[in-house]
């Protein structure tokens, strides 16, 4: 292993040495018997990058993370950390630290001992262990809890101890597997911000697994969306939001989710089954002509609707549900051939059963292929 100073001048410099902590997954695969659960994925994670792996349950996120950690044997392909091929290395030699969903703390050890344990196992001198635990505890604001046992802590405090245990090791790479899913919504938001701040401070390369798209959008430098063991799309949060490659990505990123409406492309317009037509402007390039006469899926985000008077492009629908959120109002509409959700200004208060018109931001809707679900623009 490349040598790194045990005592960097300050926490800010923790990982600022010459070692490039990149993670490369090359044709990485995992099979259980005949079932391939990770299918030859390629992914390059840069030094210092915070990458979030997202996707629905069972798509292979934890399996991928566990293969990086060395907790799961690899069936095919390569995992490299920095320059090293680590396929055959046991977890403790990979210089990674993993934080699990259930924290996996030692119940009979104190917080201090939980954090110090892995350093002790590695033979770190005693007089170095104490300042390192103290430093990590200070970063996480758990200095006052060091003598307690896990059973005497709240969920959020346990979660911080689990992170502290990873931080004291000063690994090249942090791996997180749904670390916030056992916390209530408010605490989740708070710890989410803390993890982000921590990354901004120490800059350690991080791979973070979640199925929560809000966590993915708010924390990631880059998001990797997995589906059925493959990577569906990989990009910055803005790229995935603005240019989703498929209906799968489009429906996954953004809340409430994008609305999908069946349309036919006709004379430079998307025609709904109601007969209403939305013009396809310059953004759609040659799609309007190439797909003339064909069926397509129109994708409209809830936030791309507006009060009818503000737009000449409109759709009409029957109000089914009105959800005032304070900041804005979600209106669920029944339209010909489906339902959709529109995010309207807070003062919008249509009555249930009423037929209303909503405006649509020109050039915002997406178009997808009916058969493949791939984006047409
Ligand atoms: N030991 C095993 N034997 C057989 N199949 C397994 C085993 N472990 C996991 N799998 C299967 O591999 C697939 C991927 O599992 P994985 O735990 O990576 O999913 P995930 O994306 O982390 O899902 P979740 O969001 O539910 O945690 C699943 O279909 C799962 O059933
Ligand atoms: Mg999982």
């Amino acid at each position: 292993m490349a040598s790194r100073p045990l005592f960097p001048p300050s926490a800010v410099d923790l990982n600022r040495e010459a070692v490039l902590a990149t993670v490369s997954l090359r044709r990485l695969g995992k099979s259980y018997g005949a079932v391939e659960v990770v299918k030859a994925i390629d992914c390059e994670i840069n030094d210092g990058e915070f990458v979030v792996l997202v996707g629905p349950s069972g798509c292979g996120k934890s399996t991928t993370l566990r293969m990086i950690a060395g907790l799961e044997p690899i069936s095919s392909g390569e995992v490299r950390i920095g320059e090293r091929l680590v396929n055959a290395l046991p977890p403790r030699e990979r210089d990674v630290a993993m934080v699990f969903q259930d924290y996996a703390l030692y119940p009979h050890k104190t917080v201090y001992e939980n954090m110090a344990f892995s350093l002790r196992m590695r033979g770190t001198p005693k007089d170095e262990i104490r300042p390192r635990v103290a430093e990590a505890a200070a970063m996480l604001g758990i200095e006052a809890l060091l003598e307690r046992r896990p059973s005497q802590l709240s969920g959020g405090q346990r979660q911080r101890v689990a992170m502290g245990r990873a931080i004291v090791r000063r690994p090249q790479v942090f791996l997180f597997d749904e670390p916030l899913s056992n916390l209530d919504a408010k605490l989740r938001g708070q710890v989410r911000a803390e993890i982000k701040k921590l990354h901004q401070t120490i800059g350690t390369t991080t791979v973070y697994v979640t199925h929560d798209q809000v966590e993915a959008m708010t924390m990631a430098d880059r998001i990797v969306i997995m589906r059925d063991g493959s990577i569906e799309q990989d990009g910055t949060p803005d790229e995935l939001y603005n240019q989703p490659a498929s209906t799968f990505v489009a429906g996954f990123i953004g809340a409430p989710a994008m609305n999908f409406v069946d349309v036919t492309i006709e004379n430079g317009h998307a025609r709904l089954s109601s007969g209403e037509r939305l013009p396809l402007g310059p953004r759609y390039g040659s799609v309007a002509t190439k797909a003339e006469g064909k069926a397509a899926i129109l994708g409209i985000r809830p936030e791309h609707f507006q009060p009818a008077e503000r737009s000449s492009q409109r759709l009409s629908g029957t109000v089914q549900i009105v959800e005032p959120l304070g900041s804005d109002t979600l209106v669920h509409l029944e339209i010909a051939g489906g339902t959709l959700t529109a995010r309207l200004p807070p003062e919008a208060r249509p009555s249930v059963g009423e037929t209303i018109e909503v405006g649509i931001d020109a050039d915002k809707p997406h178009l997808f292929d009916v058969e493949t679900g791939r984006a047409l623009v």
Side-chain angles (χ1 to χ4, degrees):
M1 199 200 320
S3 70
R4 277 178 289 144
L6 276 173
F7 277 104
S10 76
V12 179
D13 289 330
L14 268 182
N15 271 49
R16 290 283 187 269
E17 53 290 310
V19 180
L20 274 186
T22 54
V23 178
S24 305
L25 312 181
R26 302 194 183 149
R27 313 302 295 161
L28 180 66
K30 177 72 188 178
S31 300
Y32 291 107
V35 186
E36 214 183 350
V37 300
V38 176
K39 300 171 183 166
I41 60 171
D42 285 301
C43 185
E44 297 291 327
I45 295 160
N46 300 318
D47 184 43
E49 199 174 20
F50 196 117
V51 167
V52 176
L53 272 184
V54 279
S57 188
C59 70
K61 305 179 296 291
S62 296
T63 305
T64 302
L65 203 69
R66 293 170 62 82
M67 286 195 284
I68 300 172
L71 299 170
E72 198 73 67
I74 291 166
S75 303
S76 58
E78 290 182 354
V79 175
R80 286 178 184 273
I81 296 175
E83 293 303 306
R84 297 182 305 156
L85 178 67
V86 300
N87 282 28
L89 288 185
R92 65 177 180 282
E93 287 173 32
R94 295 192 181 196
D95 203 11
V96 302
M98 187 147 164
V99 179
F100 299 92
Q101 174 177 354
D102 61 1
Y103 321 135
L105 299 176
Y106 302 108
H108 302 298
K109 293 187 196 294
T110 62
V111 167
Y112 180 87
E113 287 160 352
N114 263 284
M115 288 169 67
F117 186 68
S118 70
L119 295 180
R120 257 194 213 122
M121 296 304 285
R122 274 150 218 269
T124 310
K126 257 204 176 112
D127 57 347
E128 287 178 22
I129 293 178
R130 193 158 284 280
R132 276 169 73 162
V133 171
E135 180 191 56
M139 269 187 211
L140 296 164
I142 52 171
E143 301 102 313
L145 308 176
L146 290 174
E147 297 314 315
R148 295 210 200 155
R149 287 177 211 287
S151 61
Q152 300 166 313
L153 301 175
S154 72
Q157 290 167 337
R158 279 180 217 170
Q159 210 288 330
R160 286 191 190 95
V161 176
M163 285 204 290
R165 208 171 43 172
I167 292 168
V168 291
R169 290 182 37 204
R170 296 178 185 161
Q172 275 188 284
V173 179
F174 284 132
L175 303 173
F176 289 94
D177 194 352
E178 311 229 15
L180 308 185
S181 53
N182 286 342
L183 305 181
D184 66 47
K186 184 159 175 247
L187 200 52
R188 211 180 305 154
Q190 192 182 327
V191 182
R192 187 173 76 204
E194 282 171 20
I195 294 178
K196 190 167 171 169
K197 200 168 107 208
L198 184 76
H199 181 256
Q200 281 160 2
T201 308
I202 63 180
T204 305
T205 308
T206 301
V207 187
Y208 185 104
V209 163
T210 181
H211 56 250
D212 179 340
Q213 66 93 24
V214 177
E215 274 175 38
M217 288 296 282
T218 54
M219 300 174 93
D221 293 322
R222 194 151 56 94
I223 300 176
V224 174
I225 300 200
M226 290 186 71
R227 176 191 197 181
D228 295 338
S230 298
I231 292 177
E232 178 87 358
Q233 192 176 359
D234 172 343
T236 65
D238 282 347
E239 281 165 358
L240 296 197
Y241 178 84
N242 292 313
Q243 296 134 40
S246 63
T247 49
F248 180 81
V249 175
F252 203 84
I253 296 291
M258 187 185 278
N259 299 290
F260 296 115
V261 183
D262 290 325
V263 295
T264 307
I265 309 293
E266 226 176 62
N267 291 328
H269 288 73
R271 185 174 59 78
L272 281 71
S273 62
S274 61
E276 289 167 299
R277 286 150 44 101
L278 298 172
L280 299 173
R283 184 172 94 82
Y284 301 90
S286 58
V287 169
T289 42
K290 276 197 211 138
E292 176 63 28
K294 292 206 178 119
I297 298 168
L298 187 73
I300 314 172
R301 294 202 183 274
E303 52 274 35
H304 294 153
F305 289 99
Q306 41 180 283
E309 62 276 12
R310 293 198 204 151
S311 172
S312 55
Q313 292 182 40
R314 295 178 194 166
L315 281 184
S316 62
T318 308
V319 177
Q320 288 185 314
I321 303 169
V322 179
E323 295 179 288
L325 299 176
S327 55
D328 36 37
T329 300
L330 296 181
V331 179
H332 300 255
L333 294 170
E334 189 176 326
I335 59 161
T339 56
L340 53 80
T341 305
R343 188 189 283 278
L344 296 176
E347 60 277 10
R349 284 290 193 283
S351 311
V352 172
E354 188 186 349
T355 296
I356 62 165
E357 281 198 314
V358 283
I360 301 176
D361 285 350
D363 274 4
K364 291 286 192 201
H366 297 259
L367 272 179
F368 302 96
D369 187 282
V370 169
E371 262 127 51
T372 63
R374 307 304 294 179
L376 293 172
V377 272

